[in-house]
Amino acid sequence: MKKIILVLTLVLLSNVTFAQNSEKAKALLEDVYTKVKSYDNIYVDFKYVLNNAEAGINQETRGEVTLQGDKYIANIFGTTQLFDGSKVYTIIPENEEVTIEDKSEDENALTPAKMLTFYREGHNYEMDILQNVNGRKIQYVKLTPIDTDSEIKTILLGIDVETKHIYKLIETGKNGTTSTFTVNSFKTDQPLSKTLFTFDEAKYKKDGYYIVKN
């Protein structure tokens, strides 16, 4: 009987610890969200690494994105993607081509506009390790998709404890692929051109670009 009581006590304590751990993680993520939403605009310069040892894939590149509300302009892999609030413009200088599409209706699609807030829905939360990175305390939160059919296994979100800014995101897929975003520079409330999120179709046509409208 004593053994049974001991086992039940350990189970209950572990559940309480997990619940507290989960609440701490959720509270930290809410702090990050509140901080992000307090800015008029955000500029992020980041390193992106895609790795799958089994498939022999190891790619590394640098990217940057400027966000203001739902609007954004992102540069990565030599391609620029612009969202003006209604349409997405994908500009590929190498091919001298621009593709124009309506905003995706897929609520689960992870766009640059959601990259700093996606974690608020559809995940279970759990506090993970605390790291010291060049004097900065980075607290990781482990996210597990609630949808069991998701192709994502886990996401580790590294948060600067002092600034409440996201420092690193490590996404592990069920196929063994790992995608890592590391923030090199995080700037807020920068002076932006009024035409930054405006697509000038005439300019690209003049430069000989092929315009594809879907």
Side-chain angles (χ1 to χ4, degrees):
M1 178 62 76
K2 289 183 179 178
K3 288 184 178 180
I4 293 175
I5 293 174
L6 177 60
V7 171
L8 287 174
T9 302
L10 289 173
V11 169
L12 289 172
L13 285 175
S14 65
N15 285 338
V16 169
T17 301
F18 179 79
Q20 291 175 340
N21 199 18
S22 177
E23 286 304 311
K24 285 182 180 179
K26 188 174 182 179
L28 179 57
L29 293 177
E30 281 302 306
D31 286 344
V32 174
Y33 178 77
T34 301
K35 199 72 177 286
V36 165
K37 285 299 181 180
S38 71
Y39 300 125
D40 176 66
N41 61 71
I42 297 172
Y43 167 82
V44 180
D45 177 286
F46 60 89
K47 180 175 74 173
Y48 173 68
V49 178
L50 180 67
N51 183 270
N52 187 317
E54 187 175 333
I57 298 173
N58 187 26
Q59 299 176 339
E60 182 177 323
T61 189
R62 177 192 157 276
E64 59 181 4
V65 59
T66 300
L67 308 105
Q68 185 174 52
D70 288 335
K71 299 177 181 180
Y72 64 81
I73 181 167
N75 297 290
I76 189 169
F77 293 123
T79 298
T80 297
Q81 190 171 84
L82 167 70
F83 178 55
D84 62 6
S86 60
K87 292 189 179 295
V88 179
Y89 305 85
T90 303
I91 305 161
I92 309 174
E94 185 178 355
N95 299 341
E96 294 189 339
E97 180 179 289
V98 178
T99 300
I100 304 175
E101 302 173 285
D102 289 330
K103 177 183 178 182
S104 173
E105 297 300 323
D106 182 3
E107 295 183 354
N108 296 319
L110 183 57
T111 65
K114 294 181 181 178
M115 67 182 294
L116 299 177
T117 59
F118 75 93
Y119 48 81
R120 296 191 80 224
E121 298 178 352
H123 300 89
N124 291 316
Y125 316 109
E126 180 182 353
M127 294 290 266
D128 207 88
I129 63 172
L130 177 66
Q131 282 188 339
N132 186 310
V133 180
N134 297 323
R136 299 166 62 190
K137 290 183 178 179
I138 306 298
Q139 174 64 60
Y140 282 87
V141 175
K142 184 178 180 181
L143 285 72
T144 306
I146 294 173
D147 182 4
T148 55
D149 292 330
S150 172
E151 295 180 359
I152 299 172
K153 184 179 179 181
T154 60
I155 297 174
L156 281 173
L157 205 57
I159 299 163
D160 187 310
V161 174
E162 182 178 350
T163 64
K164 298 300 190 294
H165 292 163
I166 294 174
Y167 165 70
K168 183 173 286 189
L169 183 154
I170 306 171
E171 178 186 289
T172 303
K174 291 180 179 177
N175 64 354
T177 299
T178 301
S179 301
T180 304
F181 291 86
T182 304
V183 174
N184 297 321
S185 176
F186 189 101
K187 299 178 182 178
T188 62
D189 298 337
Q190 300 293 295
L192 302 179
S193 165
K194 293 182 179 179
T195 61
L196 181 63
F197 303 107
T198 302
F199 177 72
D200 188 348
E201 185 171 337
K203 171 185 176 299
Y204 284 94
K205 282 185 175 179
K206 182 180 178 181
D207 291 341
Y209 276 66
Y210 180 61
I211 310 293
V212 181
K213 297 182 179 181
N214 294 333

